[in-house]
Amino acid sequence: MHTHQPARRRRAIPILLALALLAAPRGGAAASAPGRPDPRALVKAAIDYWRGTSSDSVVEMTIHRPDWERTLVLRVLTLGSDRTLVRVLAPKKDAGTGTLLVKGTMWSFSPKVNRVIRIPASMMHQSWMGSDFSNNDVARSDEIVDRYRHRLLGVERDGGREVYVVESVPLESAPVVWGREVVRIRDDEVLLGHDFYDQDGRLVKRMRTLEVRVMGGRPTAARQRMEKVEAPGEWTEVRVRRVAYGARIPEAAFTLSALRNPRRF
């Protein structure tokens, strides 16, 4: 993906809500007014909800351009807040390609060249697999919780539900490429939107949830689309085929050895 600023490492926000009112505020969070939800807690709870203690999902990712389109089938494993493994299952020519994230460090593996490459921090904001998602978006860790200052912009209504609109601005010390991000979190913990603004306040790209379904026993953002403002007609859409939350996944699944040699989990 393109950037408008010097390379600065950041991590993406997955979103959703949940334990919001129960979580205690920590450093960097905006104070909440009495009777209003703590915006930092909303973001934290959303991340926890999205990942669960662990998750095992299969998704389709379609990259659409005006003159071509391609679809990848991916398996995505998460464990805790800092381990993610994404493996390409199809098409055959890309099968086996993998991305591993452990505690903020990312590696990629290509079976074509049989090499594991560590992704430098300066490349975390770049396109992942040619899509409109960045490496950071794929990582979806919770670093944003403590490295951003959060503010509740308002509460909207959508289909009879409340939707919390939270603005997240990186702290001065945070190695983040964006100037600010705005997320919309439905009161059943589903992320409805995520806007990314550059340092000049211009909207660069936005993600929208197009379909919500109960999957894995909970409401899930089953179809999401990421679009860049300066590239109309181009988008990347992710559809969840199946997901299991709280799946038993060993830590051994998140090693360089497992990245290079896919195993059955």
Side-chain angles (χ1 to χ4, degrees), residues 128-216:
W128 183 76
M129 297 288 290
S131 73
D132 295 295
F133 289 91
S134 68
N135 290 321
N136 277 317
D137 295 332
V138 175
R140 288 197 167 191
S141 73
D142 60 358
E143 193 170 273
I144 185 174
V145 176
D146 294 320
R147 294 197 170 192
Y148 283 61
R149 183 174 292 103
H150 310 282
R151 182 164 66 105
L152 182 63
L153 297 181
V155 181
E156 301 173 348
R157 301 291 297 181
D158 182 88
R161 290 185 176 276
E162 291 186 332
V163 177
Y164 300 96
V165 182
V166 177
E167 178 189 64
S168 300
V169 178
L171 301 177
E172 289 298 320
S173 58
V176 177
V177 68
W178 304 113
R180 69 186 183 105
E181 300 174 34
V182 176
V183 296
R184 288 174 169 76
I185 305 168
R186 206 168 72 172
D187 62 6
D188 63 350
E189 307 173 0
V190 175
L191 170 67
L192 296 185
H194 189 167
D195 298 340
F196 301 80
Y197 294 83
D198 66 14
Q199 301 287 345
D200 295 321
R202 293 175 298 194
L203 178 63
V204 175
K205 67 176 186 178
R206 60 177 21 166
M207 191 277 295
R208 289 288 177 268
T209 293
L210 305 179
E211 181 182 358
V212 178
R213 283 192 289 143
V214 176
M215 305 182 73

Side-chain angles (χ1 to χ4, degrees), residues 96-107:
T97 300
T99 298
L100 172 68
L101 182 98
V102 178
K103 297 181 179 179
T105 303
M106 178 177 277
W107 296 266

Side-chain angles (χ1 to χ4, degrees), residues 79-146:
L79 181 64
S81 61
D82 54 14
R83 289 175 170 80
T84 301
L85 176 67
V86 183
R87 179 84 63 192
V88 177
L89 303 179
K92 188 175 181 179
K93 66 184 181 68
D94 296 311
T97 300
T99 298
L100 172 68
L101 182 98
V102 178
K103 297 181 179 179
T105 303
M106 178 177 277
W107 296 266
S108 68
F109 171 70
S110 170
K112 293 179 181 177
V113 295
N114 194 30
R115 286 186 59 194
V116 172
I117 300 174
R118 179 171 175 169
I119 306 299
S122 59
M123 294 181 62
M124 290 299 288
H125 60 281
Q126 295 188 0
S127 171
W128 183 76
M129 297 288 290
S131 73
D132 295 295
F133 289 91
S134 68
N135 290 321
N136 277 317
D137 295 332
V138 175
R140 288 197 167 191
S141 73
D142 60 358
E143 193 170 273
I144 185 174
V145 176
D146 294 320

Side-chain angles (χ1 to χ4, degrees), residues 30-86:
S32 58
R36 293 170 65 86
D38 178 352
R40 177 189 175 281
L42 291 172
V43 173
K44 175 70 168 62
I47 295 172
D48 292 344
Y49 180 89
W50 179 81
R51 297 180 65 97
T53 54
S54 64
S55 66
D56 181 353
S57 60
V58 174
V59 304
E60 290 183 1
M61 183 177 76
T62 298
I63 304 168
H64 175 84
R65 298 293 181 261
D67 53 349
W68 60 269
E69 185 174 287
R70 68 189 293 240
T71 297
L72 303 173
V73 180
L74 313 170
R75 186 181 182 193
V76 183
L77 304 178
T78 69
L79 181 64
S81 61
D82 54 14
R83 289 175 170 80
T84 301
L85 176 67
V86 183

